[in-house]
Amino acid sequence: MAATQARDDGLLIGGRWRASDRLLDRRNPARPNEVVGRTAAASVEDVAEAYAAARAAAAGWAATPAPARGEILRRAGDLVDRRTEEIAVGLALEEGKALRDARAEVQRAAVILRYHAGEGRQAIGEVYPSAASGTMLHTQREPLGVVAVITPWNFPIAIPAWKLAPALVYGNALVWKPAEIASGSAVRLAEVLHEAGLPAGVLNLVTGKGSEIGDALVTAPEADGVTFTGSNAVGRRIGLLSAERGLKSQLELGGKNPSVVLADADLERAVQCIVRSAMYSTGQRCTATSRVIAERAVADELVERLVATASALVVGDPVDEGTEIGPLASAAQHRTVADYLALAPQEGHVAVCGGTVADPSDGYFASPTVLIGGSPTSRVATEEIFGPVTAVLAVDDAAEALRLANATPFGLSASVFTRDLNAALRAANELEVGVVHINGETAGAEPHVPFGGIKGSGSGSREQGTAARDFFTETKTIYIEDVT
Ligand code: NAP
Ligand code: MG
């Protein structure tokens, strides 16, 4: 069923876009005086209506054949392709991501949608031998039900796509709360899914402030599960509320991802990967390289090359084609990064490049920063900064490098640069993270393999690929006994 005309400042409930009496300005982080859109601030009552709509649509959607659900995702993927430029520009204007990265993100969402479209024709169960003769014993996957989807601003198209696509193909009805500052992107993605044929009420979009409607999203009686990507602080609260209610939860949280550079590494490759992973998207990636742990024998040369490469990055207006690094996404992000950069010298870290932020009235820019010195246990070296800042720590040998890499409450991703197969294998086995890259960036995730962190970086089943099925379905075990 076609939804009414999408509105950038509207809520989508039961297939209808509706106005809100309260609007929040979305600002261009490169020019904070410029309002680029308005976000409808959903109320707790709106959330309740969204859940009622999802519940009403859930049975019909669950009964829709999975290949037909997949077909809608395939069409949505094609529509995203066709609208790449418009969606990417909107993303760049509200979130500050360099346009070329915004385009890549939108393209990635199209790939994710099409990948999950194909999942609509995959097996949804297994047949087992039974101890009783003539008995058919099998499992079947059924939708989890009505699911809350809560997403961050740093990948406002790709992360929603990798939650919404599997949730939908496995037959769930959804209430989606995107990040306030990037909700224009959410409106466009919801619009595309409806244009592709998603029935009314299957996906409901409630924009606004998480601090106002967050609890209502997780405590709604209709909710069967919640999938969340965002900060550890909010994740902890969602985890608590979910546990209290026995709600299935999936939490993808922060990181303090190390790149380990051993003495035998291809240094130029290490430098290119580290600079991209640490600085692209202005360092605002959960998988950003925020620690570089280098064997002392190569540390000085590595730092010299990191500085040369990082300081050559083009920082500027995200919609300029030449820009590699846009501003931080918001005034709050800008403040956080400024505070960490002020703390760094007090903790003994020295900025060998960058180390400064712009005056916020000129845009929320921060220069790519490489820090050396300081203690590996400092706040700067252990807390997630979520800015274009990486701290280089020198160690004596590979064993110390792995110990330090693991000496963090986080466990999302890590990379190791070496030509030694044994060292690579040892690192792959010993690193306490969800994703390891050997001779590659800490950032980046292909859509058909599991993604997620361990330790303080996440809980619940992995996202993406077939792993997504574990969260978005329940398994039923069926015994059919022969009574002839
Ligand atoms: P955030 O502040 O935790 O916000 C995430 C989402 O939760 C937003 O939609 C936010 O809404 C909402 N929210 C805020 N308070 C809430 C509450 N009390 N109850 C329910 N929802 C609430 O995170 P962020 O600043 O957007 O994103 C940055 C963080 O995400 C970083 O820590 C990063 O590492 C992490 N991240 C992790 C992954 C991963 O896969 N592991 C991927 C990307 C990002 P508002 O926008 O209205 O505040
Ligand atoms: Mg936040």
Side-chain angles (χ1 to χ4, degrees), residues 152-153 179 181 230-231 234 330 332-333:
W153 45 261
I181 61 171
S231 63
V234 174
S330 66
Q333 278 300 113

Side-chain angles (χ1 to χ4, degrees), residues 117-140:
E119 284 299 296
R121 289 186 185 273
Q122 295 300 319
I124 52 157
E126 290 168 333
V127 183
Y128 296 82
S130 167
S133 62
T135 293
M136 182 184 178
L137 176 50
H138 70 283
T139 59
Q140 95 192 3

Side-chain angles (χ1 to χ4, degrees), residues 222-360:
E222 293 92 347
D224 297 304
V226 54
T227 176
F228 169 83
T229 296
S231 63
N232 283 64
V234 174
R236 199 171 310 119
R237 167 130 196 103
I238 291 176
L240 271 172
L241 291 173
S242 306
E244 241 169 49
R245 292 211 37 223
L247 209 66
K248 193 173 181 184
S249 70
Q250 177 180 56
L251 309 174
E252 290 297 345
L253 309 173
K256 190 73 182 177
N257 313 294
S259 277
V260 171
V261 182
L262 298 183
D264 71 333
D266 176 337
L267 276 196
E268 196 43 40
R269 174 159 185 90
V271 166
Q272 295 306 324
C273 289
I274 290 168
V275 168
R276 282 199 296 268
S277 267
M279 309 302 175
Y280 278 20
S281 294
T282 324
Q284 302 168 120
R285 292 195 281 191
C286 54
T287 50
T289 300
S290 48
R291 295 183 294 155
V292 177
I293 302 172
E295 270 195 279
R296 226 173 283 284
V298 290
D300 288 345
E301 189 185 346
L302 178 71
V303 167
E304 205 172 293
R305 294 203 205 184
L306 285 174
V307 169
T309 306
S311 46
L313 291 169
V314 180
V315 180
D317 192 320
V319 294
D320 290 347
E321 292 292 343
T323 293
E324 294 173 283
I325 311 288
L328 294 157
S330 66
Q333 278 300 113
H334 182 268
R335 255 193 318 275
T336 304
V337 172
D339 287 350
Y340 276 112
L341 291 178
L343 178 64
Q346 294 168 34
E347 292 190 321
H349 299 280
V350 177
V352 282
C353 75
T356 56
V357 294
D359 184 309

Side-chain angles (χ1 to χ4, degrees), residues 150-154 159 177-180 208-211 214-215 228-231 234 238 252-255 286 384 386 412 451 457:
I150 306 177
T151 53
W153 45 261
N154 66 329
I159 290 177
K177 156 68 179 87
E180 178 200 335
K209 287 197 174 296
S211 53
D215 283 9
F228 169 83
T229 296
S231 63
V234 174
I238 291 176
E252 290 297 345
L253 309 173
C286 54
E384 185 181 51
F386 229 52
L412 185 50
F451 174 81
S457 290

Side-chain angles (χ1 to χ4, degrees), residues 424-451:
L425 272 174
R426 195 172 318 124
N429 288 326
E430 290 181 15
L431 284 165
E432 298 166 359
V433 291
V435 186
V436 175
H437 297 262
I438 304 294
N439 295 317
E441 299 183 37
T442 55
E446 296 196 35
H448 57 297
V449 293
F451 174 81

Side-chain angles (χ1 to χ4, degrees), residues 399-415:
E400 190 190 349
L402 292 185
R403 265 199 308 280
L404 184 52
N406 288 337
T408 166
F410 294 108
L412 185 50
S413 70
S415 75

Side-chain angles (χ1 to χ4, degrees), residues 11-18 42 45-54 200-201 203-206:
L11 306 171
L12 174 64
I13 298 178
R16 307 217 151 264
W17 292 91
R18 61 156 82 150
E45 292 73 32
D46 294 324
V47 171
E49 280 186 51
Y51 270 106
L203 171 64
N204 302 278
L205 179 67
V206 287

